[in-house]
Amino acid sequence: MFLRLFPLQALVLYPGMALPLNVFESRYVQLMQECLDTEEPFGVVLLKDGPEVGPNDTDPYTIGTTAHIQKVTPAVGRLSVVSIGVQRFTVQSFVYDRPYLAAEVEFIQDTTADLVEPSLIANVKEDAADFVRILVTLGGGFVRDVTFPDEPADLSYHVAQLFQGNPRIQQQLLERDTFDRLWDELSLIKSAKEQLARRGESRTTDSKFSAN
């Protein structure tokens, strides 16, 4: 399938994830207009290093996610676009005959969700909810109920979004299948919880010895 690509420098799109964009470069305005005219999605890929300059200067990862446009609001000199991630793909070959980067892609089929045991789902949900509660508490807030989906693939994509700010880890999670992604996330969350716990202990120690 031919797919127009929108490279991003620090964000990984997952299926089911909303993606708001402010589009102002003429080539990407053209991309969005062509997608609207043809009723086709565009593809979101993460850049490996550095800013995106031109279609021949990009160095993106070859696994990304299709984005289906939900709403477009024209503004002065730009477009406000709301889209949602739908399906993972892998680039077979890049296409450089347009102002923007494009590619021939194949969609990724994942059949490992049936291998996921209920105990793994329960453990990932419990640790992810604990992580969110600790994070909110350290930020001075409070949250009572933290819910995640029960379906393995949806759960794995929701949990992966907790690692925003570390696009390389997020890209690695995107490239894994559901079974391995959940196991990776369980390990990553446990490590992140330990780091947050140490941060909380450090704050408690600092407060005990603060000058008052």
Side-chain angles (χ1 to χ4, degrees):
M1 176 180 175
F2 173 80
L3 196 63
R4 302 165 183 84
L5 298 181
F6 198 108
L8 292 175
Q9 192 171 359
L11 186 143
V12 175
L13 179 67
Y14 295 103
M17 175 180 166
L19 178 66
L21 293 169
N22 284 314
V23 182
F24 53 88
E25 288 190 55
S26 59
R27 54 182 166 164
Y28 292 125
V29 171
Q30 176 183 336
L31 181 154
M32 294 299 171
Q33 190 58 58
E34 290 178 4
C35 287
L36 289 169
D37 292 342
T38 58
E39 298 184 348
E40 294 174 348
F42 60 95
V44 174
V45 287
L46 176 70
L47 288 170
K48 291 182 180 178
D49 189 28
E52 193 255 345
V53 179
N56 294 321
D57 302 314
T58 56
D59 186 20
Y61 289 92
T62 55
I63 292 180
T65 303
T66 59
H68 291 235
I69 297 174
Q70 305 289 299
K71 181 180 179 182
V72 176
T73 305
V76 178
R78 63 182 178 86
L79 296 175
S80 179
V81 179
V82 177
S83 59
I84 188 167
V86 174
Q87 190 168 2
R88 294 184 303 149
F89 63 84
T90 183
V91 172
Q92 299 300 304
S93 61
F94 289 107
V95 178
Y96 299 102
D97 62 350
R98 300 175 184 234
Y100 50 79
L101 188 65
E104 295 291 338
V105 307
E106 287 187 0
F107 293 119
I108 298 174
Q109 304 300 323
D110 183 0
T111 59
T112 67
D114 292 339
L115 303 176
V116 178
E117 297 181 355
S119 59
L120 176 57
I121 294 174
N123 287 334
V124 171
K125 290 176 64 176
E126 180 179 357
D127 278 1
D130 285 345
F131 174 77
V132 171
R133 281 190 285 265
I134 295 170
L135 192 63
V136 172
T137 300
L138 287 175
F142 173 79
V143 59
R144 183 184 302 275
D145 296 321
V146 182
T147 60
F148 288 93
D150 293 320
E151 197 278 324
D154 288 345
L155 171 62
S156 71
Y157 292 135
H158 275 73
V159 172
Q161 294 177 52
L162 297 178
F163 299 98
Q164 290 183 11
N166 198 325
R168 290 190 178 183
I169 285 181
Q170 288 198 301
Q171 180 66 30
Q172 291 171 6
L173 292 174
L174 179 70
E175 295 179 3
R176 304 286 270 173
D177 58 36
T178 297
F179 180 84
D180 290 331
R181 186 183 305 117
L182 285 169
W183 276 110
D184 287 352
E185 288 170 346
L186 189 61
S187 176
L188 287 166
I189 291 171
K190 288 184 181 299
S191 177
K193 284 173 60 179
E194 292 174 0
Q195 293 178 19
L196 289 179
R198 288 194 294 269
R199 188 190 306 175
E201 291 173 358
S202 176
R203 288 186 179 183
T204 300
T205 301
D206 291 343
S207 65
K208 287 182 180 178
F209 292 95
S210 61
N212 290 313

